[in-house]
């Protein structure tokens, strides 16, 4: 059978989705159709492959995109703040096909059964090798949040991911959650494992005493006769969003002025293409692109936004492309530049979803993954309970996985109210699937996992919610920290995202009664950033709850009542 073109292949996949037929990789490849989704013709002479925020997911998983990603002020209705049909329309993606499943939450359960799992380093490795085969000198860039997010990464202090990234052929890396392994462990990996193999870059990390650079600010490479600079930008708010005591002697921050100096420096050294490998979050990248000149593209991460096409930002020096390549190993970005006479004349960009049913597993990477998992297999595969409903994390206010964690820590610890961090990482479980210990660790595997029970006054609770709300909804992206709203259990409230800080959280009620500012309440939480916080690891608390319940009924999400968001294309 002759191989299909891309359009015919996508039509075949849409038909499969309409009938609910499960895709079988062997038959797809036997018919010569598997290549069609991944046909990205070579273009130009500078080639960059980009993945980010894989959160240590070595195996294929399910991952549901958000149905709430609100954009306010100037960000309203613009990428990345588009969900569902709004996103499909903005990027010209047909509904009900494989790409609609990759980029949106629409018909998630049915489409997940049809198209199968996404990501997995063995399948990503196959795709990287294919793209590199006709792109001489292509650089593979890792945007960070790579060494955290799974049980095996936690237990090996990131070593499983370090070894996998070396085998994958990563050239240059930026960071964020890596720093929660502590400064000494990060330096050990960079100075030993990465030496001569992977450049770990960050222009915005300095020593707090003398302001010396901790890592190389950039990597300067030559590709097909063209000098290319890749500047690193670590997550600016690491010491606020994560424990300061883990990196006590380093400062972070956005540092536009230093970024401009760094761009000017690499240009002076002959760089004809300048890209920033960023972990700012997309809204911050868009603002940076408007202020700093001389950057050709920002390959972004942190906010987990799978955005099909770059945003083109005009600035005083020309324009900058801003991209964001999703999360959990689900996507690989391909950016090709055509450089003529020392200048970029044109570009092509494609964000490719990594479907494990359509990409054969790379044998060498599969062997490494099996080796990493072998000592822990029994523990990882322990079945804790069966979920009757879809369990996912993502969305500005809550997800069903987060709700399950809240329900567990509140019940086990006897709390009135529960708080769970607005993390965006963690795999999705389909209805009827067993929840394994590994699935639980996908949601909770951090180096500061203590479950806590704290007495708080009503006014303190409001203050916390206002503070987190400002991180999410401040109209200036430079004051946003890129996570989601703290997940709240037990407490009902109204949220005015467009209001000013101090006025966003209203009408807080517990059991129908208004929260008393002076009354003390028991609040269950986890992931305290303060040094010396004690408590049982949250996964042990939740595992006990799951083993006890055995069957987990569909979760009823505790969501705030939203004011002023009607018609916002960032909400379903």
């Amino acid at each position: 059978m002759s191989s299909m073109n891309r359009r015919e292949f996508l039509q075949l996949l849409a038909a499969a989705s309409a009938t609910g037929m499960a895709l079988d990789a062997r038959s797809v490849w036997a018919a010569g159709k598997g290549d069609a989704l991944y046909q990205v013709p070579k273009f130009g002479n500078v080639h960059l492959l980009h993945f980010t925020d894989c959160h240590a997911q070595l195996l294929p998983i399910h991952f549901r995109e958000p149905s709430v990603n609100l954009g306010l002020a100037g960000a309203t209705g613009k990428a990345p703040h588009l969900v569902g049909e709004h996103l499909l329309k903005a990027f010209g993606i047909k509904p009900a096909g494989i790409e609609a499943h990759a980029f949106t939450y629409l018909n998630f359960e049915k489409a997940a059964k049809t198209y199968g799992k996404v990501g997995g380093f063995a399948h990503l490795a196959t795709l990287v090798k294919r793209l590199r085969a006709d792109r001489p000198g292509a650089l593979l860039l890792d945007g960070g949040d790579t060494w955290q997010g799974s049980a095996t990464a936690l237990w090996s202090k990131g070593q499983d991911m370090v070894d996998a990234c070396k085998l994958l052929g990563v050239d240059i890396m930026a960071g964020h959650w890596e720093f929660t392994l502590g400064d000494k462990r990060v330096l050990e990996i960079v100075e030993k494992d990465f030496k001569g193999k992977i450049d770990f870059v960050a222009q915005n990390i300095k020593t707090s005493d003398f302001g010396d650079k901790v890592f190389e600010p950039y990597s300067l490479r030559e590709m097909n006769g063209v000098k290319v600079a890749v500047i690193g930008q670590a997550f600016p708010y690491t010491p606020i969003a994560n424990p300061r005591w883990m990196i006590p002697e380093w400062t972070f921050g956005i540092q536009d002025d230093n970024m401009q100096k760094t761009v000017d420096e690499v240009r002076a050294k002959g760089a004809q293409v300048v890209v920033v490998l960023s972990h700012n979050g997309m809204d911050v990248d868009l603002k940076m692109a408007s202020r700093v000149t001389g950057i050709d593209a920002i390959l972004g991460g942190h906010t987990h936004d799978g955005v099909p096409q770059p945003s083109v930002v005009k600035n005083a020096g020309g324009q900058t492309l801003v991209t964001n390549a999703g999360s959990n190993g689900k996507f690989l970005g391909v950016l090709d530049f055509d450089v003529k006479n020392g200048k970029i004349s044109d570009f092509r960009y494609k964000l490719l979803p990594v479907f494990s049913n359509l990409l054969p597993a790379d044998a060498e990477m599969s062997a490494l993954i099996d080796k990493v998992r072998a000592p822990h297999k029994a523990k990882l595969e322990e079945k804790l309970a069966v979920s009757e409903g879809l369990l996912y994390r993502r969305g500005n206010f809550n997800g069903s996985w987060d709700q399950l964690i809240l329900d567990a820590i509140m019940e086990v610890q006897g709390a009135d109210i529960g708080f769970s961090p607005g993390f965006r990482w963690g795999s999705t479980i389909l209805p009827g699937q067993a929840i394994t210990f590994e699935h639980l660790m996908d949601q909770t595997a951090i180096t500061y996992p203590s479950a806590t029970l704290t007495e708080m006054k009503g006014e303190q609770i409001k203050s916390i919610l206002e503070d987190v709300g400002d991180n999410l909804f401040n109209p200036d992206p430079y004051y946003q920290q890129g996570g989601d709203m703290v997940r709240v259990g037990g407490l009902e409230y109204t949220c005015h995202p467009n209001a000013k800080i101090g006025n966003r959280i209203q009408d807080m009620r517990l059991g129908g009664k208004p929260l008393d500012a002076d009354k003390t309440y028991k609040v269950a939480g986890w992931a305290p950033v303060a040094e010396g916080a004690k408590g049982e690891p949250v996964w042990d608390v939740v595992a006990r709850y799951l083993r006890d319940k055995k069957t987990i009924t569909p979760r009823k999400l505790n969501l705030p009542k939203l004011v002023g968001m009607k018609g916002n294309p960032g909400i379903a």
Side-chain angles (χ1 to χ4, degrees), residues 514-538:
L515 203 70
D516 186 332
D518 296 317
K519 190 178 170 183
T520 299
Y521 300 90
K522 285 183 180 176
V523 181
W526 66 283
V529 296
E531 188 170 10
K534 292 200 166 43
E536 193 178 7
V538 68

Side-chain angles (χ1 to χ4, degrees), residues 29 35 38 49 120-133 167-168 332 354-356 358-366:
W29 282 95
D35 273 318
Y38 299 110
L49 309 178
F121 260 52
H123 307 276
L124 181 61
T126 295
L127 183 55
V128 167
K129 284 179 180 176
R130 283 169 187 240
L131 291 164
R132 274 184 152 159
L167 184 58
L168 190 65
L332 182 68
V354 180
F355 280 97
S356 56
L358 296 179
L359 289 162
D362 177 78
E364 203 180 353
M365 187 65 80
S366 291

Side-chain angles (χ1 to χ4, degrees), residues 22-46:
L23 223 54
D24 175 46
R26 288 181 294 278
S27 59
V28 169
W29 282 95
K33 301 165 192 167
D35 273 318
L37 188 66
Y38 299 110
Q39 280 171 0
V40 186
K42 182 198 169 190
F43 176 81
N45 49 4
V46 170

Side-chain angles (χ1 to χ4, degrees), residues 201-371:
V201 290
Q203 71 86 22
N204 61 328
I205 303 181
K206 300 183 174 70
T207 60
S208 49
D209 50 6
F210 299 113
D212 297 330
K213 63 186 181 187
V214 177
F215 305 99
E216 289 301 324
Y218 58 82
S219 180
L220 199 55
R221 306 288 184 107
E222 189 159 308
M223 189 188 310
N224 307 315
V226 179
K227 265 195 178 175
V228 179
V230 178
I231 301 170
Q233 175 81 357
F235 178 52
Y237 297 110
T238 301
I240 301 167
N242 305 102
R244 177 85 187 111
W245 57 268
M246 293 179 167
I247 35 150
E249 294 167 8
W250 297 350
T251 64
F252 289 71
I254 294 170
Q255 300 191 28
D256 278 350
D257 290 348
N258 198 59
M259 178 63 82
Q260 187 65 69
K261 284 180 193 159
T262 308
V263 173
D264 296 344
E265 180 183 326
V266 296
R267 288 284 183 193
K269 288 184 175 180
Q272 294 167 27
V273 175
V274 177
V275 300
V276 172
L277 182 59
S278 164
H279 207 94
N280 276 335
M282 190 161 176
D283 288 331
V284 177
D285 286 335
L286 289 166
K287 182 173 177 178
M288 177 178 272
S290 73
R291 289 162 60 100
V292 179
T293 60
I295 300 170
D296 296 305
I298 300 178
L299 300 175
H302 180 60
T303 37
H304 293 199
D305 302 303
V307 181
Q309 290 297 328
S311 297
V312 180
V313 179
K314 301 271 193 276
N315 53 47
Q319 68 176 39
T320 301
L321 307 175
V322 176
T323 73
N324 205 286
S327 67
N328 290 269
K330 186 177 175 180
F331 295 103
L332 182 68
V334 186
L335 178 59
D336 293 321
F337 284 116
D338 192 23
V339 180
K340 290 176 180 165
N341 303 319
K343 289 205 164 80
I344 293 171
S345 65
D346 203 358
F347 77 93
R348 298 283 183 276
Y349 181 78
K350 190 79 186 164
L351 186 57
L352 297 172
V354 180
F355 280 97
S356 56
N357 275 5
L358 296 179
L359 289 162
D362 177 78
E364 203 180 353
M365 187 65 80
S366 291
L368 173 66
I369 294 167
D370 288 346
K371 184 182 164 193

